[in-house]
Amino acid sequence: MGSLQNQEIFENGFSGTIKPLDPEEFRRQGHLVIDFLADYYKNVEKYPVRSQVEPGYLKKRVPGSAPYDPEPIEEILCDVKKDIIPGLTHWQSPNYFAYFPSSGSIAGFLGEMLSTGFNIVGFNWMSSPAATELESIVMDWLGKMLKLPTEFLFSGGGGGVMQGTTCEAILCTVVAARDQMLKKIGRDEINKLVVYGSDQTHSAIQKAAQIAGINPENFRAIATTKANAFGLTAQALRETIESDIESGLVPLFLCATIGTTSSTAVDPLGPLCDVAKEYGIWVHVDAAYAGSVCICPEYRHFLNGVENADSFSFNAHKWFLTTLDCCCLWVKNPSALVKALSTYPEYLRNKASETKQVVDYKDWQITLSRRFRSLKLWLVLRSYGVANLRKFLRSHVKMAKNFEGLIGMDKRFEVVVPRNFATVCFCISPIEIGGNYGQIVASEEETANYFNAKLLEAINESGKIYMTHSVIGGVYVLRFAVGASMTENRHVNFAWKVVQEHANQLLTM
């Protein structure tokens, strides 16, 4: 860096007397970053969807220590393009069909910018009243869009809070349920508590149980079957509960899922809640992925029975145009969260809190500090409206139906489980696999699984599209999840051509 440039930087306030929030310099650099991101989205389709770098690539490209002297934003952005972008898996690419979507939008980005720009730490009402009050309002708005029972809304005695992720939401509810139960049976009886899910339930529930001090041996992943579309049955739940009670254990918590990670299976809420209610079990409904589409009337029936649950959550940062992180959690009994998670040190005492006139969200979550998440969701709801959000979600379901139809036209492939939303689980049928693959492993199923794994890896290594997999009922499946904000039907058709091309290559080896 030349001495003249160093002098300019010094005069602009980046050396000597630092001005980290100089308004005009912020304006200049902010415009550069916005232009950089706009160009990124304009060209994102051209990048390999899954990063093609090897582990440790970045250490070879960047210096071993931080710079002593300041560097201009122009130079830093050049390095972002040269060194960082190659190491990104492009979740916003229209050819991204992996995991579940992490959808973004102009409104979501700008809301995030406002939230970051204000940079408030909204642990209680007093720390920034607008942050607390807007969150309460937006959570009631969203609850009404989902037609949640009034008991889940602030207007009906319940309430909603924005967590970072589903993992946090489930942990908070497990802790609340735990403390409620231990108050009845004694804190020394914690080793008797049992937590229930299915073998399709997200691992977040097992992690939450471990953190909450539940004996790892008391976590039940109840088996599901293809006959029940891999949903947890009330009969299987009841049999497991009764066996635990006979063993002297205490049923505590059930996590029911609307749209499981592996296959988007749906647990039947009504029958499960009926069983849980008999035994005094807290029921949490995890709709992290599929909750979004339930704002559409034709999908709301998947939530039937939620009126008998204790808590409900979904991730607005998955399929709802709201940037990471934003998990929306509703509870019927907010005091259960507050009693389990509240602390009230002297330095946080204030008149508003002591008179019980306000919500202090620090008592509804694990951490003390919290972000102004509601601002970005507020912008999303206002910028697009319910009608356009439904249109957006329906368009992805329609694209997934199209992909499912393309699979049906190629007899070599099969859809492994029924499609409920916008994710299709498929594979090449075992009877189509010949060549040398049968010599690699013993059984037909293992041979098919090996082949489909090879197929997926070949597809992803091409960089043209990106999908992920799961194993459902012993079958290795390719998961095609439509949900990226920029995806159009032409990308779905292109993806199918890529799948067929690689299948043709492997099948003729």
Side-chain angles (χ1 to χ4, degrees), residues 467-496:
M467 295 184 293
T468 46
H469 81 283
S470 190
V471 177
I472 308 169
V475 178
Y476 186 103
V477 300
L478 287 69
R479 294 173 69 264
F480 187 82
V482 182
S485 302
M486 300 170 71
T487 299
E488 299 174 4
N489 211 48
R490 63 185 176 90
H491 299 108
V492 173
N493 293 332
F494 171 74
W496 177 240

Side-chain angles (χ1 to χ4, degrees), residues 237 241 271-283 308 310:
L237 175 63
I241 291 171
L272 292 176
C273 286
D274 288 343
V275 172
K277 191 174 182 180
E278 289 182 38
Y279 298 96
I281 296 172
W282 181 299
V283 179
N308 290 319
D310 298 277

Side-chain angles (χ1 to χ4, degrees), residues 313-330:
S313 65
F314 92 94
N315 288 348
H317 62 243
K318 275 191 166 63
W319 197 14
F320 208 69
L321 297 176
T322 306
T323 53
L324 189 72
D325 54 3
C326 188
C327 173
C328 301
L329 167 68
W330 290 265

